[in-house]
Amino acid sequence: MTKKANVVIVGGGPVGVALAVDLAMRNISCILVESRVGLSAIPKGQNLTQRTLEHFQFWGIVDELRAARVMPPGSPIGEVTAYENLAGDYWHAPPGRELVRSYYSQANERLPQYKMEEVLRAKMDTLPLVEQRFGWTAKAVTQDAQRARVVIEKDGFEETLEADYVVGCDGARSLVRDQAGIERGGTDFDQVMALLVFRSRDLHEKLKRFPERSTYRVMHPELNGYWQFFGRIDVGEGWFFHAPVPAGVTRENFDFQGLLEKATGFPFKLEFDHVGFWDLRVAVAEVYQVGRIFIAGDAAHSHPPYGGFGLNNGLEDAVNLGWKLAARIKGWGTDKLLESYSEERRPIFKETGEDFIASRIKREGTLLNQVDPNKDKAAFEEVWKEWAGDVGWRVEGYEPNYEGSQVLFGPPGGVCSAHGTHTYKARAGHHLAPRKLSSGRSTFDEMGFEFTLFAFGADDAAVKGFAAAAQKLGVPMKTVRDRYDGELKDYEATLILVRPDQYVVWTGDSAPANADAVIAKVVGRG
């Protein structure tokens, strides 16, 4: 028996479900295969960026997501970083993602991943174009020039699923990636980490010495840059904790309460809910596409849970790939457009993993061992001051962009990179920042699942040229016209073409010499 759809998604975690939602909302049929039926209660993936909340905005479920949070509304999301332990004299509570809030249409959010998955699954339940196969396991993935196929199994019964494309969202041990022959590489720290989930009202009370925050990092010279990391699950009782542990540690042979109390610097009462382990490494796939097979999320890239990069990048993968698959299946996109998924997304996470995570671990290990406050207090305090300001670079300097993409008009010599600067100026290859229209609405309120041409004080000929070019190629495009004044002048362009994932593909102050060529390039026909 063979069941057919436009896309088969292997893996029903947050990235797989998000991709299913995105595709179905673009009128693309898909079958989602996931061996798990229920959701894990491990509170990972809590830190959702402003960009991720924009995705939920476009899926129409941002209010549902915020309502699912566990911490009370208004609870701070930032961090405290302390030297040696949480009882010491040296700590700082720097600003976090609020530094870049105005460049996005949504504020960031914090809630356990399983709560977010509940919201995504509930949305998916409303979409008849998604066939859900929870409890089924993918056994084999093959492809030829015309189709891709996935053999799935449940309770000894096998079935073949056939589709135009297969996407592996099946985690770090991805079957899809392995069967497509995709290799991975990256930094392996050869370090075992513990994940502890526990409840303690006592710890909540004892951390009131700090400004209210959701995470607490402990840095110690002995750890060589690795973190001991406390995170709130709620306000008052629930916690999780990551820390390096010696090789060979098991649940039975190690004093985990002692480890926690060394990190806090004081004894406290607690009850454990979970003890687990993971390996500290950064791994990035060599390519994200082989023919009709794609990978996304942890199947494409995995890293330590530092900074919330993994889940947020996985959701960005889903959005980047979703509109391109829809475009190709509907006929106005091309294979070249699909190729741009790997071209755009892989460099982002390679730099994220190596520059924002691996190099940070090494740098902080070096800083910690430069000076000892017991031997040279003044020198240590200078280093500590420098360190406190480092978060600004990590937040403001992380601005994923696709300047080197072949399907947009980036600057000469541009490359796709996780490094960038936040600005209101509309730049090809960059996320469009929201600005207020004369109606009082945001530019983000006007965008949808199609291309959007913003025309501010532009002449009719320029607008008509783009509209005719889009119509000729069957490219869905909406035009938004307004005066070129107020906040809109921050864009420094009167014509801005934005693709369906809210990234700018072209800007100008007058009609292009050939609007047909512009539209053709941004859908992979140029």
Side-chain angles (χ1 to χ4, degrees):
M1 179 180 176
T2 300
K3 188 68 181 287
K4 297 182 179 181
N6 294 131
V7 180
V8 171
I9 301 168
V10 179
V15 176
V17 175
L19 179 59
V21 167
D22 197 76
L23 287 170
M25 293 185 72
R26 299 179 193 279
N27 294 314
I28 300 299
S29 66
C30 52
I31 303 173
L32 180 95
V33 180
E34 169 56 54
S35 58
R36 298 177 306 150
V37 176
L39 296 171
S40 169
I42 304 302
K44 56 185 178 180
Q46 299 216 54
N47 184 13
L48 302 180
T49 64
Q50 291 103 331
R51 174 62 180 153
T52 288
L53 269 290
E54 288 182 347
H55 302 327
F56 281 83
Q57 173 185 344
F58 281 93
W59 294 326
I61 49 175
V62 70
D63 292 337
E64 289 83 346
L65 183 75
R66 294 197 189 280
R69 68 178 293 163
V70 177
M71 298 176 72
S75 297
I77 297 178
E79 69 179 39
V80 168
T81 297
Y83 178 74
E84 289 195 330
N85 59 58
L86 295 177
D89 294 331
Y90 293 105
W91 59 270
H92 52 253
R97 291 207 60 81
E98 62 268 28
L99 290 170
V100 297
R101 167 65 184 93
S102 63
Y103 300 104
Y104 298 89
S105 70
Q106 295 287 327
N108 58 332
E109 190 57 272
R110 182 177 177 83
L111 71 165
Q113 180 175 304
Y114 55 81
K115 300 295 289 184
M116 181 199 67
E117 288 189 74
E118 288 175 359
V119 174
L120 279 171
R121 286 193 180 191
K123 178 65 176 182
M124 184 171 63
D125 287 342
T126 70
L127 301 170
L129 285 176
V130 182
E131 181 177 332
Q132 302 177 31
R133 294 295 191 95
F134 287 103
W136 290 76
T137 301
K139 308 298 290 186
V141 183
T142 58
Q143 64 175 318
D144 56 34
Q146 288 75 40
R147 304 286 278 173
R149 296 168 184 84
V150 181
V151 177
I152 61 174
E153 182 271 336
K154 181 180 181 182
D155 300 330
F157 177 77
E158 285 193 351
E159 185 175 352
T160 299
L161 306 179
E162 188 175 277
D164 298 303
Y165 302 98
V166 169
V167 184
C169 302
D170 49 341
R173 296 180 175 86
S174 171
L175 169 85
V176 177
R177 185 189 64 238
D178 289 347
Q179 298 210 347
I182 299 173
E183 299 293 330
R184 291 197 307 168
T187 300
D188 189 339
F189 290 91
D190 194 26
Q191 174 64 57
V192 177
M193 304 289 286
L195 166 60
L196 312 178
V197 182
F198 63 94
R199 285 167 287 117
S200 176
R201 293 186 178 276
D202 193 18
L203 180 60
H204 171 71
E205 291 298 319
K206 289 178 176 177
L207 291 185
K208 287 184 175 179
R209 68 180 294 234
F210 298 118
E212 191 176 359
R213 292 291 188 273
S214 61
T215 57
Y216 303 81
R217 286 198 308 151
V218 176
M219 308 301 296
H220 196 290
E222 294 176 359
L223 301 178
N224 294 317
Y226 303 140
W227 301 358
Q228 292 180 319
F229 182 85
F230 292 89
R232 293 185 184 276
I233 301 171
D234 51 37
V235 174
E237 184 175 38
W239 298 87
F240 65 87
F241 177 74
H242 293 282
V245 292
V249 165
T250 68
R251 293 174 179 82
E252 294 75 28
N253 69 3
F254 192 76
D255 179 11
F256 292 106
Q257 177 143 359
L259 176 67
L260 288 164
E261 292 182 351
K262 182 177 180 181
T264 57
F266 50 74
F268 64 96
K269 299 175 184 177
L270 73 147
E271 293 182 35
F272 286 106
D273 289 332
H274 172 82
V275 175
F277 305 95
W278 52 274
D279 295 321
L280 186 65
R281 64 167 62 97
V282 173
V284 183
E286 293 302 318
V287 294
Y288 287 8
Q289 177 191 5
V290 175
R292 294 180 174 275
I293 298 174
F294 297 81
I295 53 175
D298 285 352
H301 47 75
S302 56
H303 71 87
Y306 288 4
F309 289 113
L311 175 58
N312 292 293
N313 266 289
L315 294 171
E316 191 70 41
D317 291 345
V319 171
N320 186 292
L321 181 57
W323 78 267
K324 293 173 180 177
L325 284 171
R328 182 67 185 93
I329 290 166
K330 291 180 179 180
W332 54 268
T334 64
D335 288 341
K336 185 177 179 180
L337 180 65
L338 289 181
E339 290 166 5
S340 73
Y341 165 66
S342 186
E343 176 189 38
E344 291 177 354
R345 294 302 302 153
R346 185 180 180 276
I348 302 301
F349 200 84
K350 185 171 178 58
E351 291 187 358
T352 299
E354 297 299 335
D355 298 351
F356 287 85
I357 299 174
S359 67
R360 180 185 178 188
I361 291 171
K362 294 171 183 175
R363 180 173 183 269
E364 291 184 336
T366 300
L367 276 174
L368 278 174
N369 286 284
Q370 276 183 358
V371 288
D372 184 337
N374 298 314
K375 295 179 180 178
D376 191 336
K377 184 177 180 180
F380 174 83
E381 289 179 348
E382 280 299 310
V383 170
W384 187 249
K385 182 179 178 182
E386 175 190 348
W387 196 354
D390 195 43
V391 71
W393 172 82
R394 288 189 284 112
V395 172
E396 294 174 303
Y398 183 74
E399 193 260 336
N401 64 83
Y402 309 134
E403 285 190 354
S405 174
Q406 62 182 324
V407 292
L408 53 80
F409 291 81
V415 296
C416 299
S417 176
H419 298 271
T421 56
H422 287 82
T423 177
Y424 299 121
K425 180 179 179 180
R427 300 165 293 166
H430 294 257
H431 167 268
L432 184 73
R435 295 282 81 192
K436 187 181 292 186
L437 297 160
S438 60
S439 65
R441 288 166 59 83
S442 163
T443 47
F444 261 66
D445 295 331
E446 297 294 341
M447 289 190 283
F449 288 105
E450 63 275 283
F451 276 79
T452 304
L453 175 66
F454 288 103
F456 305 130
D459 60 53
D460 288 339
V463 174
K464 288 178 180 178
F466 272 113
Q471 184 177 28
K472 186 183 302 182
L473 292 177
V475 178
M477 189 185 78
K478 175 183 181 180
T479 299
V480 178
R481 306 194 67 161
D482 204 348
R483 301 186 301 271
Y484 186 53
D485 60 14
E487 289 187 0
L488 298 179
K489 284 196 169 183
D490 293 340
Y491 285 142
E492 298 183 35
T494 58
L495 290 166
I496 305 166
L497 185 61
V498 185
R499 67 191 201 182
D501 61 353
Q502 301 89 52
Y503 273 76
V504 178
V505 292
W506 179 90
T507 67
D509 288 319
S510 59
N514 188 338
D516 288 2
V518 172
I519 296 295
K521 179 170 183 172
V522 300
V523 296
R525 296 182 182 275

